[in-house]
């Protein structure tokens, strides 16, 4: 899968106000500052598509990005959406407390027909925090597919990296974690493949 075009579409203050879109959607979520927005930029090969910051809580709204990628079927293109969600675990965000974001997300997972999968980002140096486990549980509860992604893999040696991946996988019951680094651009082929293969290729859009 190769992304050929990525454009910012809209920011919404709540799930209720998100645009009604029928194309496949992939929600990116994780603790604040874990590197979600940087990954969107690296995946789409555009430096400033999603806003990033060293200060946690940069992403405060629900941001939709429209993606066009080359289809598995030659000569065709697919259109789908990435949703950059505010990180959890940041005090000034409405997502900061579990009791705040859990019901909102639960509703979004249940109602959003086009939601294909949730990509759960965790810092490779300290994965599976309580809030991440809550998120996984929420996905399981609502029968929503998820892809665990370990970020900032450049922060660990190769040996430490493999140990961290294995430790997470042991607790994942069959779902394989993918390690990525936006800094070194590592793991993005795997991530794009998982986005498509884990949930099936996005619906092909005619006339594109
Ligand atoms: P919020 O929007 O606040 O929830 O954060 P986010 O998860 O979108 O993180 P963001 O992409 O804004 O990155 C947070 C910080 O981590 C920034 O200072 C980035 O430069 C840094 N960062 C992101 N990805 C990587 C990476 O792969 N390696 C390293 N070393 N730093 C990274
Ligand atoms: Mg962000």
């Amino acid at each position: 899968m190769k992304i050929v075009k990525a454009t910012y579409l809209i920011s919404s203050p709540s799930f209720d106000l998100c645009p009604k879109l029928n194309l496949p959607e992939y929600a990116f979520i994780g603790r604040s500052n874990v590197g979600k927005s940087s990954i969107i930029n690296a995946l789409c090969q555009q430096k400033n598509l999603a806003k990033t910051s060293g200060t946690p809580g940069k992403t405060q709204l629900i941001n939709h990005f429209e993606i066009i990628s080359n289809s598995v079927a030659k000569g065709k293109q697919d259109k789908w959406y990435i949703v950059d969600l505010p990180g959890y675990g940041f005090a000034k965000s409405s997502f900061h407390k579990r009791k705040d974001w859990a019901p909102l997300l639960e509703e979004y997972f249940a109602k959003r027909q086009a939601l294909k999968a949730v990509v759960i980002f965790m810092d490779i140096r300290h994965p599976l925090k309580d809030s991440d486990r809550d998120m996984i549980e929420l996905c399981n509860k609502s029968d929503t597919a998820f892809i665990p992604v370990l970020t900032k893999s450049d922060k660990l040696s190769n040996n430490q990296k493999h140990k961290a991946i294995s430790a997470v996988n042991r607790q994942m019951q069959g779902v394989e974690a993918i390690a990525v680094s936006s800094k070194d651009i590592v793991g993005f082929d795997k991530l794009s493949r998982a986005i498509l293969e884990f949930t099936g290729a996005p619906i092909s859009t005619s006339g594109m």
Side-chain angles (χ1 to χ4, degrees):
M1 189 268 287
K2 183 171 168 30
I3 291 173
V4 289
K5 196 175 172 203
T7 39
Y8 161 76
L9 190 68
I10 196 164
S11 297
S12 317
S14 70
F15 290 115
D16 287 351
L17 297 171
C18 281
K20 306 275 177 282
L21 302 165
N22 286 319
L23 292 174
E25 185 165 297
Y26 297 83
F28 283 21
I29 193 143
R31 288 171 64 79
S32 210
N33 216 39
V34 77
K36 300 173 292 297
S37 300
S38 304
I39 279 160
I40 292 177
N41 292 341
L43 188 66
C44 300
Q45 297 181 8
Q46 280 187 46
K47 260 194 169 164
N48 301 311
L49 185 64
K51 287 183 187 132
T52 66
S53 166
T55 315
K58 180 67 184 172
T59 307
Q60 291 277 329
L61 296 164
I62 301 158
N63 301 299
H64 274 80
F65 296 92
E66 190 180 282
I67 313 293
I68 296 174
S69 62
N70 281 335
S71 179
V72 194
K74 259 197 166 165
K76 281 203 166 184
Q77 291 191 323
D78 297 307
K79 190 165 153 185
W80 44 285
Y81 299 99
I82 289 177
V83 193
D84 189 14
L85 294 171
Y88 37 84
F90 174 64
K92 278 188 193 158
S93 155
S94 56
F95 278 59
H96 73 294
K97 284 182 195 158
R98 284 188 238 177
K99 65 175 189 312
D100 286 346
W101 58 256
L104 297 174
L105 281 170
E106 209 166 346
E107 204 185 341
Y108 169 66
F109 289 175
K111 283 193 181 161
R112 201 77 176 169
Q113 297 277 319
L115 183 70
K116 283 272 189 176
V118 177
V119 188
I120 303 178
F121 295 94
M122 298 175 278
D123 190 312
I124 197 161
R125 295 165 297 175
H126 30 83
L128 293 171
K129 295 258 187 200
D130 284 350
S131 48
D132 301 319
R133 290 179 191 275
D134 285 347
M135 182 56 58
I136 291 166
E137 201 185 306
L138 209 67
C139 287
N140 284 333
K141 213 170 110 186
S142 59
D143 238 350
T144 306
F146 69 90
I147 303 164
V149 174
L150 305 177
T151 64
K152 308 192 185 182
S153 69
D154 54 278
K155 296 274 191 186
L156 296 184
S157 68
N158 264 343
N159 189 26
Q160 290 171 317
K161 188 169 130 178
H162 289 121
K163 273 190 185 158
I165 299 170
S166 303
V168 170
N169 283 347
R170 272 198 296 278
Q171 299 192 51
M172 275 299 148
Q173 295 162 353
V175 186
E176 290 224 349
I178 299 165
V180 299
S181 163
S182 305
K183 187 169 166 265
D184 293 349
I185 312 293
V186 165
F188 285 90
D189 280 351
K190 252 192 180 168
L191 175 59
S192 13
R193 243 177 286 137
I195 285 177
L196 297 188
E197 279 172 22
F198 194 84
T199 59
I203 306 154
S204 227
T205 34
S206 54
M208 283 181 52

